C-alpha cells in the first residue's frame, strides 16, 4: 500500500463522534445541493444511508486505498440499493476517488456517473446494482471467494429493507450462514419504505417483521439507530465479537429523506423533486 493511501486511512481514524456527525451532515447538504441543481430525483433514498456510509469511510473501520483503488487487500463495499447512491458519490469525491467535476456534473451529459451506480473500481465503485436484490448475492460471492483463497479483506454490503422483498436476498443470506462467512457484514438501511409506499402497507404487518424474519436465519443480528455514525461503528464492532463463524447483519433504523423535512417518511418523494415551497420546510 502506498504512503498516500496509508495517510488517508489513518487520518479518518482521528474523527470523533461529533466530527463523524458533522461530516455526515456536510455530505447530506452536498447531496441536496448537487441533486437539486442537476435535477436528480432519488434524493430521499440517498439521504437515509449517509450516516451508514460515513461510519464505514471515516471511522477507520473499512480499509481502502485512494492512491490505488484496485489494491488487492482493500475491503469491498457493495452498495446494493444503488438508486440511493448520491451520498456514496459525494463521499467518494470527498475522499479523492471520484474527480470533483464528475460529481458536480452528476446527472448531466458532462459526467460519467449514472443515476444508479455502475462498476468503476477507479472511482471506488465495486459493482453495478441497478436491479435491486442483486447486490447481496454479489457480496456473498466476494466474501466466499476471499475465504476460499484465505484472503483477509472484509466485504460490506449496504442493502435497503425494501430489497428484502426480493427472494435473491434470502437465498444469499442462507448461503452466507451455511458457509460461515464471518468476513461479511450486511448493513440494512431500514427506512421502512420502498419505492411506492411504506413497507407495512405493501408486505409486512409491522415494522419489526423484518427483524423477526432475519433472526431465524442464524446470522449475527443486531439493530441500531441509523443516523449516528459512531453508534453504527460501535454496533458493527460488537457484532464481530459474537458467533465467530457467522456473517454479521446490522439493521440500521433510518428515516427516508432524513434532513429534508418535506421528504422525511413521505412515500411520494422516492424519486420526486421538491418544489421551492416544500424546501422552505427546512434543510440540514
Amino acid at each position: 500500500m502506498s504512503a498516500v493511501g496509508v495517510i488517508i486511512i489513518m487520518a479518518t481514524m482521528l474523527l470523533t463522534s461529533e466530527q463523524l456527525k458533522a461530516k455526515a451532515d456536510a455530505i447530506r447538504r452536498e447531496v441536496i445541493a448537487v441533486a437539486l441543481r442537476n435535477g436528480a430525483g432519488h434524493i430521499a433514498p440517498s439521504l437515509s444511508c449517509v450516516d451508514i456510509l460515513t461510519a464505514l469511510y471515516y471511522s477507520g473501520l473499512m480499509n481502502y486505498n485512494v492512491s490505488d483503488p484496485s489494491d488487492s487487500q482493500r475491503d469491498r463495499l457493495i452498495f446494493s440499493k444503488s438508486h440511493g447512491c448520491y451520498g456514496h458519490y459525494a463521499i467518494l469525491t470527498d475522499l479523492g476517488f471520484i474527480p470533483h467535476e464528475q460529481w458536480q456534473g452528476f446527472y448531466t451529459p458532462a459526467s460519467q456517473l449514472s443515476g444508479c451506480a455502475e462498476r468503476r473500481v477507479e472511482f471506488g465503485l465495486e459493482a453495478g446494482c441497478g436491479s435491486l436484490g442483486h447486490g447481496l448475492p454479489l457480496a456473498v460471492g466476494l466474501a466466499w471467494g476471499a475465504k476460499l483463497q484465505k484472503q483477509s479483506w472484509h466485504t460490506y454490503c449496504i442493502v435497503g429493507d425494501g430489497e428484502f422483498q426480493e427472494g435473491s436476498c434470502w437465498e444469499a443470506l442462507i448461503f452466507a450462514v451455511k458457509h460461515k462467512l464471518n468476513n461479511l457484514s450486511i448493513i440494512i438501511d431500514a427506512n421502512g419504505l420502498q419505492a411506492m409506499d411504506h413497507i407495512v402497507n405493501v408486505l409486512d404487518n409491522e415494522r419489526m417483521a423484518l427483524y423477526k424474519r432475519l433472526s431465524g436465519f442464524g446470522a449475527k443480528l443486531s439493530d441500531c439507530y441509523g443516523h449516528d455514525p459512531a453508534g453504527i461503528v460501535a454496533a458493527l464492532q460488537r457484532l464481530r465479537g459474537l458467533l465467530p463463524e457467522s456473517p454479521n447483519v446490522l439493521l440500521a433504523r433510518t428515516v427516508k429523506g432524513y434532513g429534508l423535512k418535506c421528504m422525511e417518511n413521505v412515500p411520494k418523494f422516492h424519486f420526486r423533486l421538491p418544489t421551492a415551497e416544500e424546501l422552505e420546510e427546512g434543510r440540514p
Side-chain angles (χ1 to χ4, degrees):
M1 184 180 297
S2 74
V4 174
V6 171
I7 289 170
I8 290 172
I9 293 168
M10 292 298 292
T12 63
M13 296 181 185
L14 302 177
L15 294 186
T16 65
S17 296
E18 287 304 311
Q19 287 171 329
L20 284 169
K21 186 177 185 304
K23 174 61 73 172
D25 288 342
I27 294 297
R28 257 186 291 274
R29 288 192 291 270
E30 178 79 5
V31 165
I32 293 167
V34 171
L36 290 177
R37 185 183 67 238
N38 297 351
H42 276 130
I43 300 173
S46 296
L47 293 178
S48 63
C49 55
V50 167
D51 296 282
I52 298 169
L53 288 160
T54 300
L56 292 177
Y57 279 100
Y58 295 98
S59 69
L61 187 67
M62 192 168 71
N63 177 39
Y64 54 83
N65 187 347
V66 175
S67 64
D68 181 10
S70 61
D71 185 338
S72 63
Q73 295 308 303
R74 72 191 186 281
D75 290 338
R76 273 65 163 177
L77 171 61
I78 303 300
F79 191 78
S80 189
K81 50 165 290 178
S82 186
H83 57 287
C85 62
Y86 302 2
H88 199 196
Y89 286 164
I91 285 172
L92 291 172
T93 302
D94 184 52
L95 292 172
F97 284 101
I98 295 176
H100 183 74
E101 64 276 8
Q102 291 290 328
W103 164 234
Q104 290 301 312
F106 167 61
Y107 221 71
T108 75
S111 175
Q112 300 174 57
L113 299 174
S114 59
C116 287
E118 298 176 355
R119 176 176 165 83
R120 292 188 67 104
V121 175
E122 69 274 20
F123 284 178
L125 300 167
E126 297 284 355
C129 295
S131 296
L132 296 180
H134 287 185
L136 183 54
L138 283 170
V140 168
L142 284 168
W144 192 39
K147 185 170 281 288
L148 290 174
Q149 297 174 50
K150 303 187 185 307
Q151 296 296 312
S152 60
W153 48 268
H154 199 85
T155 299
Y156 296 89
C157 185
I158 297 177
V159 191
D161 52 354
E163 281 191 87
F164 268 91
Q165 296 173 27
E166 300 277 359
S168 54
C169 288
W170 297 103
E171 293 172 23
L173 184 58
I174 291 168
F175 186 95
V177 172
K178 166 66 177 177
H179 292 279
K180 302 177 180 179
L181 300 184
N182 58 352
N183 58 346
L184 171 68
S185 292
I186 303 163
I187 308 163
I188 302 172
D189 178 6
N191 60 36
L193 287 97
Q194 45 100 298
M196 304 304 294
D197 202 350
H198 295 272
I199 290 174
V200 293
N201 296 332
V202 177
L203 186 69
D204 294 332
N205 294 322
E206 57 169 331
R207 193 163 181 188
M208 285 297 293
L210 178 58
Y211 186 93
K212 292 176 181 178
R213 200 173 292 127
L214 288 163
S215 66
F217 276 71
K220 289 179 285 187
L221 175 63
S222 184
D223 67 340
C224 70
Y225 178 56
H227 296 299
D228 174 16
I232 293 168
V233 173
L236 286 169
Q237 290 172 331
R238 283 195 302 271
L239 273 172
R240 288 197 185 183
L242 304 170
L243 297 174
E245 294 188 338
S246 169
N248 311 303
V249 181
L250 180 63
L251 201 69
R253 301 200 178 279
T254 61
V255 175
K256 192 166 183 176
Y258 184 76
L260 269 182
K261 296 301 181 185
C262 65
M263 286 191 178
E264 291 185 353
N265 279 323
V266 180
K268 71 179 181 180
F269 279 109
H270 179 74
F271 187 70
R272 181 178 176 276
L273 289 165
T275 65
E277 292 76 17
E278 288 166 335
L279 284 173
E280 289 300 316
E281 294 182 32
R283 304 193 196 189

